[in-house]
Amino acid sequence: GQQVMQIPQYQHVQEGEDFTTYCNSSTTLSNIQWYKQRPGGHPVFLIQLVKSGEVKKQKRLTFQFGEAKKNSSLHITATQTTDVGTYFCAGPNAGGTSYGKLTFGQGTILTVHP
Amino acid sequence: DGGITQSPKYLFRKEGQNVTLSCEQNLNHDAMYWYRQDPGQGLRLIYYSQIVNDFQKGDIAEGYSVSREKKESFPLTVTSAQKNPTAFYLCASSIAGRSNEKLFFGSGTQLSVL
């Protein structure tokens, strides 16, 4: 079945350092979504990428969708303690349907040391 | 405020017992989902429903059951057949269940076995 792999599983950074998490799918994706889950909280939608090679920015966060639409990345510039949490990527299940069944990556747990 | 309400926040199950997790939404969304989250793993889909009185099995439906008698409600029952029920359960919804729609999550229920 479809797999969505995310690396690294854990990332510890000093405040002010940059952070990147990578997402790779075993199948071509029609779109990819990114979510953030704060410690003790629930996932919150960040962004969706649809086009091949698409790049979107949200303040210090930069999201990229690969040319082949099988990989994606999230880059945070100059991390802050408010960036702490788990970042998930998610893509629609393969199968040719338009149902909103998403396959989630394992997530990258980001810790920021002040 | 519109949103998804899950209850209870914490739940304990005894051996051989069925327990039901509540999920209510006032977003007027057609589609609702149940995900299971284990430490170090992504979110795995248990069941989903795109319309009242209809639901489909996700990737890990064994040992679980659901109902969708009302648009606003999508309760999940963890049966005694689920041998490893300890996990964080997340309910989500989307507008119509299409694969390009973002998910809105509830605050989750932590289920533990006594």
Side-chain angles (χ1 to χ4, degrees):
Chain A
Q2 179 186 22
Q3 292 188 343
V4 177
M5 305 298 292
Q6 239 182 299
I7 56 170
Q9 188 173 0
Y10 301 95
Q11 186 73 59
H12 307 275
V13 299
Q14 288 293 131
E15 190 171 20
E17 292 181 340
D18 292 356
F19 158 76
T20 304
T21 175
Y22 300 91
C23 182
N24 291 286
S25 171
S26 58
T27 61
T28 302
L29 300 171
S30 59
N31 67 77
I32 193 159
Q33 299 179 16
W34 285 90
Y35 292 79
K36 176 183 179 180
Q37 184 176 23
R38 294 183 186 275
H42 59 275
V44 175
F45 174 83
L46 293 176
I47 208 162
Q48 178 177 247
L49 305 172
V50 178
K51 298 177 183 177
S52 170
E54 187 171 14
V55 178
K56 286 189 176 180
K57 293 190 175 184
Q58 289 180 350
K59 298 182 180 178
R60 293 178 295 103
L61 277 62
T62 302
F63 303 84
Q64 291 188 328
F65 201 10
E67 294 291 339
K69 301 182 75 173
K70 295 182 72 174
N71 57 76
S72 181
S73 65
L74 159 59
H75 178 82
I76 302 178
T77 303
T79 55
Q80 299 175 357
T81 54
T82 53
D83 296 324
V84 165
T86 304
Y87 293 85
F88 293 100
C89 62
N93 278 25
T97 72
S98 61
Y99 290 161
K101 292 170 56 181
L102 293 179
T103 297
F104 281 79
Q106 305 96 311
T108 295
I109 300 172
L110 174 62
T111 305
V112 180
H113 300 285
Chain B
D1 286 339
I4 301 177
T5 302
Q6 288 188 242
S7 63
K9 190 173 178 66
Y10 300 96
L11 186 59
F12 297 91
R13 193 191 88 167
K14 297 179 181 178
E15 285 286 334
Q17 187 182 41
N18 293 353
V19 292
T20 298
L21 285 61
S22 170
C23 178
E24 303 278 333
Q25 55 101 357
N26 61 5
L27 298 169
N28 200 33
H29 285 174
D30 285 321
M32 297 186 74
Y33 312 81
W34 275 104
Y35 283 90
R36 170 177 171 145
Q37 185 175 24
D38 295 280
Q41 298 192 35
L43 282 64
R44 293 183 291 168
L45 183 64
I46 304 172
Y47 268 98
Y48 65 100
S49 168
Q50 288 194 287
I51 196 170
V52 174
N53 292 323
D54 186 54
F55 48 83
Q56 306 294 329
K57 292 182 179 180
D59 300 318
I60 56 165
E62 186 174 350
Y64 301 97
S65 65
V66 293
S67 63
R68 187 84 186 277
E69 297 177 1
K70 299 187 300 181
K71 184 175 183 177
E72 302 80 17
S73 179
F74 192 40
L76 173 74
T77 297
V78 184
T79 74
S80 56
Q82 172 51 243
K83 297 307 178 187
N84 184 22
T86 297
F88 190 52
Y89 290 86
L90 287 158
C91 179
S93 72
S94 66
I95 296 172
R98 288 183 290 269
S99 63
N100 61 350
E101 294 171 358
K102 63 182 179 182
L103 299 181
F104 294 79
F105 285 88
S107 56
T109 293
Q110 176 64 50
L111 176 62
S112 302
V113 177
L114 289 176

